[in-house]
Amino acid sequence: MPQQSTEILAATAGGIARAAQLLREGRLVSFPTETVYGLGADARQGEAVAAIYEAKGRPSFNPLIAHVHSAGAARRYVQWNDVAEQLAAAFWPGPLTLVLPLREGHGISPLVTAGLDTLGIRVPAHPTGQALLSELDGPVAAPSANPSGKISPTTAAHVIAGLDGRIAAILDDGACGVGLESTIIGLAGPEVMLLRPGGLAAEEIETVLGRKLVQRDAHDPLTAPGQLLSHYAPGAPVRLNAEAPGEGELFLGFGPVECDLNLSESGDLAEAAANLFGHLHRLDALGRPIAVAPVPEHGLGEAINDRLHRAAAPRD
Ligand code: TXA
Ligand code: MG
């Protein structure tokens, strides 16, 4: 990815307005939350979300958390329910992420959810993060702002050490208070599930709910976040590195080829990443086997190929 000069923005009205403007332009901005510094992109812009993976050098697509300024804003994107209302009232803003079904017309890029029909969403408590989200008045997808495999950053200096030159700006407001990622609660199924322990103690949540959380079973592919993805695969067989479609196959192209849908005609990997899940869903809906053109292994191509390999893996 091209080297850029990373702006260090102060936590002032001017710095926050600049950060919001960069996000609107599809650029990456690191911002403070009470847990850790996030690496933010406008969650409605697929190529901006793809750039998160490029900047982090992350070799696989995970679902990302969307950050919003209020519970009211969260309800624009997810199907709300009574437990969500109860937890939001008790703990938002704060280090709690709720996983809920996406609602119709949500506008969130499928790359944020890695093709799932649920969204992890949270309202961070940090005043500067809050101010940025209010200024943008839109959803910001953000994993922790560290290169893949490195420790999560709790100061702007940590972010600079890892990502200087790879992102547009850092909104600097000192050290994060919690220093531990948010607790993730799954509310998309019949049970209230603890998907990831984090900065908000499970006991506190249980006290508010008046019942025990269901612990996720690491062997259950429907509840283990890392494995959620292998669960999403098209119904029909997928054949990789195809130069052309065979008889009866749909063709998912890359580069200047004749095909049913193209990940990127110009061979742009960020565009291909942004299109990946949406295109797979659309071809899957046609119910025929899918052949996929070769995608190069460099840069974002690694994560794209990881996902394609899972989609093509033999299933029971
Ligand atoms: O404190 C935090 O949560 C920080 C700050 C920046 O907000 N963010 C963070 O993001 O820790 P990340 O990308 O490192 O972790 C996101 C986690 C992943 O483990 C992912 O599997 C889970 O959230 N997740 C996100 N969406 C999900 C979904 N729809 N279903 C299940 N798990 C989901
Ligand atoms: Mg992380």
Side-chain angles (χ1 to χ4, degrees):
M1 70 185 304
Q3 188 77 7
Q4 44 195 311
S5 94
T6 301
E7 298 175 32
I8 314 270
L9 302 171
T12 58
I16 288 162
R18 173 74 183 145
Q21 182 198 350
L22 288 165
L23 288 172
R24 268 184 220 110
E25 290 171 4
R27 312 282 306 279
L28 301 183
V29 177
S30 176
F31 64 100
T33 80
E34 76 281 28
T35 59
V36 299
Y37 272 77
L39 178 54
D42 185 328
R44 299 160 296 194
Q45 299 186 45
E47 290 187 39
V49 178
I52 291 176
Y53 286 92
E54 206 171 14
K56 284 180 69 98
R58 195 144 145 182
S60 61
F61 295 125
N62 269 355
L64 302 173
I65 296 169
H67 298 69
V68 290
H69 61 75
S70 64
R75 287 198 289 270
R76 296 176 200 157
Y77 309 106
V78 290
Q79 296 173 37
W80 206 238
N81 61 39
D82 291 345
V83 179
E85 181 59 34
Q86 210 179 351
L87 294 179
F91 300 115
W92 278 359
L96 171 69
T97 295
L98 302 178
V99 174
L100 288 157
L102 281 162
R103 62 176 279 182
E104 206 160 323
H106 54 78
I108 303 280
S109 161
L111 196 53
V112 173
T113 60
L116 298 173
D117 53 11
T118 56
L119 177 68
I121 196 159
R122 87 177 186 96
V123 177
H126 195 291
T128 300
Q130 269 280 322
L132 173 62
L133 295 168
S134 296
E135 175 88 19
L136 182 73
D137 196 27
V140 174
S144 51
N146 50 283
S148 179
K150 297 287 181 354
I151 300 162
S152 293
T154 52
T155 67
H158 295 161
V159 179
I160 292 161
L163 297 174
D164 190 26
R166 305 177 69 82
I167 63 179
I170 300 167
L171 190 53
D172 181 358
D173 197 8
C176 304
V178 177
L180 197 65
E181 274 116 338
S182 62
T183 301
I184 303 181
I185 299 293
L187 296 179
E191 318 262 30
V192 180
M193 307 240 356
L194 178 63
L195 295 178
R196 178 179 78 180
L200 175 66
E203 291 79 359
E204 283 194 59
I205 298 170
E206 291 176 338
T207 300
V208 163
L209 293 178
R211 59 173 144 147
K212 288 266 174 213
L213 294 171
V214 177
Q215 303 285 323
R216 74 174 179 81
D217 173 356
H219 302 294
D220 178 353
L222 286 175
T223 64
Q227 292 169 27
L228 260 168
L229 302 185
S230 49
H231 168 69
Y232 171 66
V238 176
R239 184 169 68 88
L240 302 183
N241 296 316
E243 295 300 339
E247 178 88 24
E249 281 181 330
L250 296 164
F251 193 34
L252 179 60
F254 178 84
V257 291
E258 213 168 292
C259 54
D260 295 280
L261 281 176
N262 204 321
L263 290 169
S264 170
E265 253 177 72
S266 65
D268 181 283
L269 288 166
E271 185 186 10
N275 284 330
L276 179 64
F277 292 104
H279 281 12
L280 281 174
H281 275 291
R282 281 168 61 191
L283 292 179
D284 190 24
L286 301 175
R288 283 157 51 195
I290 302 168
V292 187
V295 175
E297 270 290 351
H298 60 82
L300 279 174
E302 196 181 351
I304 294 171
N305 279 305
D306 169 77
R307 176 94 312 270
L308 287 171
H309 280 289
R310 291 175 199 234
R315 290 148 244 161
D316 344 298

